[in-house]
Amino acid sequence: MDANDESVTPLDGWTVDGWTVEDAEAILRTHNCRATGPRVAVLTALLRHSGPIDAGALTTLAQAEAAGIHEATVYRTISVLSDRGIVTHVHAGHGPSLVRLGGDHGLIAVCRDCGGITSVPADTVERFISEARNAIGFTLEPGHFALEGVCGRCSHDGQDGPEDEGKQ
């Protein structure tokens, strides 16, 4: 992994593309966490995914890293990684909580129709926080909850909506 590689996306001093098992082990050890096989597989899967993900999907990705990992193990690993600050969770509307890297405090939007997840651009979030502070004197701290609404694809008069998902 080369942090100067332009294909690597920076994330609070970390990168999210090109991660290796050795990188995951080093992160675990840096946070005084044993680098067990399941922990390395779960963290590697999360690093390679590079965005918010629910535990079920993370289990599938972790199983690609190391066969035989059970979903209960992934949940326990998420708990340990959360306690160490390596990951955080985001409440995403009525769906399952999402897990993401601890350095990622950005705001995400979740489509209530298709479940699609989108990162809100940082400059948009900063403007919104500033305008809310100026308007009502309240400083918002986004990151723990996702915005819920309807994505552009689902809002186009029913075209390519959730009922059309499997037809492409």
Side-chain angles (χ1 to χ4, degrees):
M1 173 183 67
D2 180 3
N4 295 320
D5 184 349
E6 289 183 7
S7 70
V8 175
T9 306
L11 183 67
D12 285 2
W14 289 1
T15 57
V16 294
D17 295 327
W19 288 95
T20 66
V21 168
E22 291 78 19
D23 295 322
E25 289 173 351
I27 290 168
L28 289 167
R29 289 188 181 107
T30 298
H31 288 83
N32 297 316
C33 189
R34 281 190 353 219
T36 65
R39 289 177 184 171
V40 170
V42 169
L43 183 54
T44 301
L46 182 61
L47 291 166
R48 289 184 179 165
H49 177 71
S50 74
I53 187 171
D54 67 72
L58 183 57
T59 298
T60 301
L61 295 178
Q63 289 169 340
E65 297 292 332
I69 293 178
H70 192 273
E71 190 168 17
T73 302
V74 172
Y75 276 100
R76 283 192 304 273
T77 301
I78 289 169
S79 179
V80 169
L81 298 179
S82 179
D83 289 346
R84 299 281 200 244
I86 298 170
V87 302
T88 60
H89 70 277
V90 178
H91 296 280
H94 299 290
S97 290
L98 303 172
V99 179
R100 65 181 175 182
L101 294 174
D104 182 359
H105 301 292
L107 186 58
I108 61 172
V110 178
C111 179
R112 69 159 193 242
D113 290 346
C114 71
I117 301 169
T118 304
S119 293
V120 179
D123 60 332
T124 301
V125 174
E126 290 168 14
R127 276 195 314 275
F128 179 66
I129 291 170
S130 176
E131 289 181 22
R133 185 176 40 248
N134 292 338
I136 62 173
F138 189 85
T139 301
L140 298 169
E141 296 177 352
H144 191 71
F145 292 93
L147 295 176
E148 186 178 13
V150 180
C151 70
R153 187 173 141 193
C154 290
S155 67
H156 284 103
D157 300 323
Q159 296 174 351
D160 290 327
E163 64 277 357
D164 298 323
E165 281 292 312
K167 296 181 182 176
Q168 294 179 349

